[in-house]
């Protein structure tokens, strides 16, 4: 990936979006990611969360085109998941959705913040894809509930911000379609996430 100004700095920023044990894998993924061209080349406004005791900083947006399929072929299964995670931060909502659908059911803890961040965004089809991809969230004690419950329990401020964004986007864009907030897919997700966190913490 050719980056103007300071390539190592941008690569380091993107590597910081994942636990340190994945650093070599992230670098292999970045080697197949195309230039950002004339679009902004730096990741925008990273947000910090904790994943299994380690702080990661995930970019709010990236602007690189998707790599061609033949360039992705050498990637391992873990590296492909990393690639999909990065492109859930793409500026194009259709690209975000396409890559989300490849990872939403993944059981890796470092995937969770990429999915949860999308739950707080405005694209309705993405919210619906998360609901479809996390059927275990409705089952007490399921692996998905444990996975998301642990993350939310470790990152209450991040989840609170996500809640506020879900309510705000419903009010601005979808109130006409879902007169009751409880029927909005974002609200359904919030309730499932809250239940998972409560189960993890042993309290509502």
């Amino acid at each position: 990936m050719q980056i103007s100004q300071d390539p190592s700095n941008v690569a380091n920023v993107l590597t910081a979006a994942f636990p340190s044990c994945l650093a070599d894998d992230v670098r292999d993924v970045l080697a197949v990611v195309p230039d950002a061209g004339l679009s902004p080349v730096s990741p925008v406004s990273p947000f910090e969360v904790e994943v299994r005791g380690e702080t990661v900083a995930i970019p709010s947006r990236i602007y690189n085109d998707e790599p061609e399929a033949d360039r992705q072929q050498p990637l391992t299964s873990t590296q492909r998941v990393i690639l999909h995670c990065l492109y859930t931060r793409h500026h194009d909502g259709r690209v975000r959705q396409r890559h989300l659908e490849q990872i939403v059911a993944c059981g890796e803890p470092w995937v969770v913040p990429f999915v949860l961040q999308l739950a707080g965004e405005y694209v309705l089809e993405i919210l619906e894809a998360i609901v479809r991809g996390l059927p275990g969230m409705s089952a007490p004690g399921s692996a998905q509930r444990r996975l998301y419950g642990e993350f939310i329990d470790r990152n209450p401020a991040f989840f609170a911000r996500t809640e506020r964004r879900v309510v705000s986007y419903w009010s601005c864009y979808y109130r006409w379609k879902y007169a009751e907030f409880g029927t909005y897919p974002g609200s359904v997700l919030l309730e499932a996430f809250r239940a998972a966190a409560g189960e993890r913490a042993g309290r509502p």
Side-chain angles (χ1 to χ4, degrees):
M1 178 174 61
Q2 181 182 348
I3 302 293
S4 63
Q5 298 179 349
D6 185 357
S8 63
N9 181 59
V10 175
N12 288 341
V13 169
L14 294 177
T15 302
F18 300 89
S20 57
C21 63
L22 295 174
D24 289 341
D25 288 308
V26 177
R27 283 190 282 270
D28 287 344
V29 170
L30 295 181
V32 307
V33 171
D35 296 350
L38 298 177
S39 298
V41 295
S42 297
V44 179
S45 304
F47 57 92
E48 291 189 349
V49 292
E50 180 188 337
V51 176
R52 296 283 170 91
E54 184 174 354
T55 298
V56 298
I58 297 173
S60 294
R61 288 287 179 263
I62 65 170
Y63 295 87
N64 306 75
D65 289 339
E66 298 168 277
E68 298 292 337
D70 61 337
R71 298 201 68 192
Q72 298 180 40
Q73 285 184 352
L75 299 179
T76 67
S77 57
T78 295
Q79 290 167 357
R80 289 173 185 270
V81 174
I82 291 170
L83 179 77
H84 292 311
C85 284
L86 286 174
Y87 279 91
T88 66
R89 309 312 316 133
H90 197 267
H91 67 95
D92 186 323
R94 290 166 297 186
V95 174
R96 295 200 298 277
Q97 180 181 349
R98 185 160 60 245
H99 289 275
L100 163 73
E101 289 171 344
Q102 300 299 314
I103 62 167
V104 63
C106 181
E108 293 289 353
W110 44 270
V111 171
V112 173
F114 290 92
V115 176
L116 198 56
Q117 173 73 3
L118 286 172
E121 297 189 6
Y122 61 90
V123 181
L124 182 61
E125 291 80 5
I126 288 179
L127 297 178
E128 293 170 339
I130 297 174
V131 172
R132 290 193 304 270
L134 296 177
M137 293 300 295
S138 61
S142 70
Q144 286 183 338
R145 270 181 94 136
R146 292 195 303 271
L147 185 68
Y148 281 81
E150 177 186 351
F151 177 82
I152 294 167
D153 189 42
R154 288 176 178 267
N155 296 276
F158 173 75
F159 183 64
R161 184 167 65 250
T162 300
E163 289 183 302
R164 292 192 295 270
R165 295 178 70 185
V166 170
V167 174
S168 178
Y169 284 128
W170 164 74
S171 181
C172 288
Y173 298 116
Y174 298 110
R175 189 188 289 264
W176 64 271
K177 185 173 184 178
Y178 302 96
E180 296 293 331
F181 178 64
T183 63
Y184 175 55
S187 175
V188 173
L189 282 172
L190 289 183
E191 287 301 318
F193 291 141
R194 284 195 204 100
E199 189 173 284
R200 160 76 180 186
R203 63 183 186 277

